[in-house]
Amino acid sequence: MMSPDQARDRLHTLLDGTFEAIKPVVTYREGWPRVTENDQPAGTANVALERYVMTKVSTAKYGALLGLVERRWKSLGYVIESVNADAVMPAVFARASDGSALNLRVGYPGNITIGAVVNPVRATTSPFGPEPPQPTLPNGNPDILPSVDDPFWSH
């Protein structure tokens, strides 16, 4: 069973390894770790962390991005569990033998989220403390919409 600090370190390692494969690099904003209690075994939880790609990625480059990420995950021993090959909102999901999981999801309108999940940690209330204020849009929704133009990814 991992401690919250070990879980956070593992999540960062998984996500850092994923983003290292993306060339040219993209800008991202990191979310806050989320804890979800498991039904079994009792008293355990999963911890998830997402990074929101703030670089605008053109739909024509989705395949390139997903290809880079999928190859990295396979090279690390992850099994690709599911691929959504939709042209507008593609996604890929992978899992390792230790139970950790990675995912890349393209949402509407072009927001890209790369996430990781690890387990088990001891289920506790707010193991990472209170969530700091996150950037929001004028309507109050989280600011996860890409806004950074890149000569390669955006065109």
Side-chain angles (χ1 to χ4, degrees), residues 118-144:
V118 297
N119 64 61
V121 297
R122 185 170 275 88
T124 60
T125 305
S126 301
F128 302 103
E131 182 175 353
Q134 298 293 320
T136 57
L137 297 169
N139 65 3
N141 288 338
D143 184 6
I144 60 172

Side-chain angles (χ1 to χ4, degrees), residues 3-5 8 32-35 45-47 121-130:
S3 71
D5 286 340
R8 186 178 13 227
W32 188 252
R34 290 185 333 273
V35 178
N46 296 334
V47 181
V121 297
R122 185 170 275 88
T124 60
T125 305
S126 301
F128 302 103

Side-chain angles (χ1 to χ4, degrees), residues 22-36:
I22 302 172
K23 302 290 185 212
V25 299
V26 294
T27 303
Y28 65 86
R29 182 176 68 75
E30 189 158 289
W32 188 252
R34 290 185 333 273
V35 178
T36 305

Side-chain angles (χ1 to χ4, degrees), residues 62-71 73-74 78-95 102-106:
Y62 288 169
L65 179 64
L66 269 71
L68 289 170
V69 169
E70 188 175 332
R71 282 189 295 281
W73 292 347
K74 285 179 178 178
Y78 277 72
V79 174
I80 304 302
E81 289 191 326
S82 175
V83 175
N84 176 355
D86 184 88
V88 178
M89 295 188 349
V92 62
F93 301 86
R95 184 167 305 277
L102 291 161
N103 62 77
L104 184 156
R105 301 174 320 275
V106 177

Side-chain angles (χ1 to χ4, degrees), residues 1-2 7 10 38 44-47 95 98-101 117-121:
M1 180 134 3
M2 285 184 270
R10 177 78 174 128
N38 296 322
T44 67
N46 296 334
V47 181
R95 184 167 305 277
D98 68 359
S100 61
V117 179
V118 297
N119 64 61
V121 297

